[in-house]
Amino acid sequence: MEENRKAQLLKLLRSRDAYVSGQELCEQFGVSRTAVWKMINQLKEEGYEIEAVSNRGYCLKSAPDLTSPEEITSRLTTDWAGRTVYHFGETGSTNIDAKRLADEGAPHGTLVVADTQTMGRGRRGRGWESEDAGKAVYMTLLLKPQFSPEYASRVTLLMAMAVTAALEEVCEGQSVQIKWPNDVVINGRKACGILTEMSAEPGYIHHVVIGTGINVNQSSFPKEIEQTAASVLRETGKMQPRALIIARVMFFFEQYYECFVQTHDLSALREQYEAHLAGIGREVRVLDPKGEYTGVSKGITDSGELIVEKEDGTRVEVYAGEVSVRGLYGYTA
Ligand code: ATP
């Protein structure tokens, strides 16, 4: 069955609590009863549980936790974000794939998703633990913006906001916050890391790739990050479909991005950002390679720098590039 048709069928089945009649499916896809039956069987073979009741039709009872293009597309509600999806079972790094696809002409909004990465990266050459295949989200969104390169790093903050909004929907009752600039934490532990990279020349962006790793269904982590990492499952006790989280992140990102490109800054989004900013109003330690210091986090500027007020009253606007921020007593607080 062709990818688009499969996505449409899944979307239709998912949109109803009740049964969808065979007749409706025949009309929708312009095919015979036998063809509908074959399409349904193909989904069943892929792990979808579909109940078929004569005289009533078909009902989707459960879906496997796939991040296939059809599974993602069937849940998307966006105009452009994630509308072209590439899926890899295993890859080196989705950022590297997205850069290659961008050079080959992939459109703005292309999404690259993998079940596992062998070379997942964080900032400054650090690693991103990604070998727990099929349990987390490893994805890269490709943008081909019209704006000037100086604004590009700000999209990291938009992605952090989008992931926070999506995780809030599935982590009811838990604290989901942004750890400026590029992480999202659940209950103070890191559940998402974002790595934005750009290809540009003076005054012109070829493309921007936003790599995002989200810990979803991992029940444990390697020793090195056991204390500082969170997954949705560990914090809520519930598994979530990765495709749902991806689709919701795309939804929120598209909204925030549309807002951002009006002004190329965060002026319209700052209030919402700060409402989710970990450590705001509290003392933080800025790990600047030129010298560490502490101060009270006061929020962000419209350009996305963190405002830190030192004890002597001076205000520093911290630029994300080389800096990490810690809570005074722990990772975020
Ligand atoms: P910091 O979080 O220390 O301020 P950073 O934002 O530069 O630094 P990233 O580049 O976002 O960090 O991520 C890399 C770091 O995240 C690694 O050094 C490791 O400590 C931690 N890490 C790696 N993989 C995961 C994961 N799957 N979940 C949570 N944390 C991880």
Side-chain angles (χ1 to χ4, degrees):
M1 183 180 6
E2 179 226 326
E3 209 174 87
N4 241 343
R5 178 169 279 197
K6 204 191 283 183
Q8 275 173 22
L9 175 58
L10 283 170
K11 191 176 184 123
L12 185 62
L13 291 171
R14 204 167 257 136
S15 69
R16 307 275 179 84
D17 289 335
Y19 290 81
V20 182
S21 74
Q23 183 60 34
E24 183 178 342
L25 293 175
C26 290
E27 283 165 16
Q28 175 75 27
F29 295 103
V31 296
S32 66
R33 288 254 176 182
T34 319
V36 165
W37 184 79
K38 277 191 184 155
M39 284 158 71
I40 295 284
N41 268 354
Q42 197 179 328
L43 287 179
K44 283 185 180 170
E45 272 163 29
E46 288 169 21
Y48 291 86
E49 197 192 332
I50 300 171
E51 202 173 65
V53 176
S54 50
N55 296 329
R56 292 179 75 184
Y58 301 99
C59 180
L60 180 62
K61 293 288 177 189
S62 72
D65 181 22
L66 302 176
T67 54
S68 58
E70 308 88 83
E71 183 59 19
I72 293 171
T73 306
S74 73
R75 295 174 183 269
L76 276 182
T77 52
T78 54
D79 285 335
W80 54 264
R83 281 290 162 189
T84 304
V85 182
Y86 290 85
H87 174 264
F88 298 100
E90 177 181 308
T91 192
S93 140
T94 54
N95 269 20
I96 293 174
D97 295 327
K99 286 187 239 180
R100 177 179 43 80
L101 289 163
D103 289 335
E104 290 167 10
H108 179 73
T110 295
L111 181 68
V112 181
V113 181
D115 286 322
T116 180
Q117 299 184 115
T118 52
M119 297 187 307
R121 290 165 303 138
R123 296 194 300 162
R124 288 160 286 166
R126 294 178 184 199
W128 185 257
E129 170 56 48
S130 349
E131 282 170 28
D132 214 342
K135 297 201 172 156
V137 168
Y138 308 110
M139 65 177 178
T140 295
L141 181 64
L142 166 66
L143 303 177
K144 292 191 162 170
Q146 303 295 314
F147 52 73
S148 147
E150 65 193 282
Y151 306 131
S153 64
R154 298 177 187 172
V155 299
T156 301
L157 280 74
L158 304 182
M159 185 55 87
M161 285 182 77
V163 172
T164 301
L167 291 185
E168 270 193 330
E169 292 183 336
V170 294
C171 293
E172 221 178 296
Q174 315 298 320
S175 145
V176 183
Q177 290 184 307
I178 302 166
K179 183 177 163 292
W180 181 91
N182 69 323
D183 299 323
V184 176
V185 295
I186 310 177
N187 298 329
R189 288 181 287 273
K190 183 144 136 185
C192 161
I194 299 163
L195 179 68
T196 299
E197 297 177 285
M198 170 171 69
S199 160
E201 55 189 83
Y204 178 76
I205 296 179
H206 296 290
H207 59 252
V208 173
V209 296
I210 314 174
T212 308
I214 308 174
N215 299 329
V216 183
N217 294 325
Q218 294 106 311
S219 51
S220 64
F221 288 105
K223 254 207 170 64
E224 313 83 76
I225 55 170
E226 175 70 25
Q227 299 301 317
T228 51
S231 71
V232 172
L233 173 63
R234 293 229 304 186
E235 300 305 309
T236 65
K238 271 199 200 154
M239 309 262 277
Q240 293 294 340
R242 289 170 299 153
L244 169 71
I245 292 178
I246 293 169
R248 296 306 287 162
V249 172
M250 291 298 110
F251 168 76
F252 287 113
F253 183 86
E254 185 174 289
Q255 291 199 343
Y256 299 145
Y257 186 82
E258 294 296 337
C259 186
F260 169 77
V261 292
Q262 306 293 317
T263 54
H264 302 131
D265 67 18
L266 284 111
S267 46
L269 297 164
R270 200 165 54 117
E271 215 172 289
Q272 189 179 343
Y273 186 95
E274 289 179 345
H276 290 92
L277 177 59
I280 190 165
R282 307 171 74 145
E283 219 160 345
V284 294
R285 174 176 291 125
V286 180
L287 309 179
D288 188 328
K290 294 191 213 99
E292 277 183 36
Y293 55 90
T294 58
V296 175
S297 163
K298 292 287 184 184
I300 58 164
T301 64
D302 285 346
S303 333
E305 284 101 26
L306 186 73
I307 305 167
V308 175
E309 191 173 279
K310 291 185 176 173
E311 213 179 344
D312 64 7
T314 53
R315 282 188 167 218
V316 189
E317 291 180 3
V318 187
Y319 181 72
E322 287 293 303
V323 165
S324 283
V325 178
R326 292 280 179 281
L328 218 49
Y329 306 103
Y331 190 54
T332 56

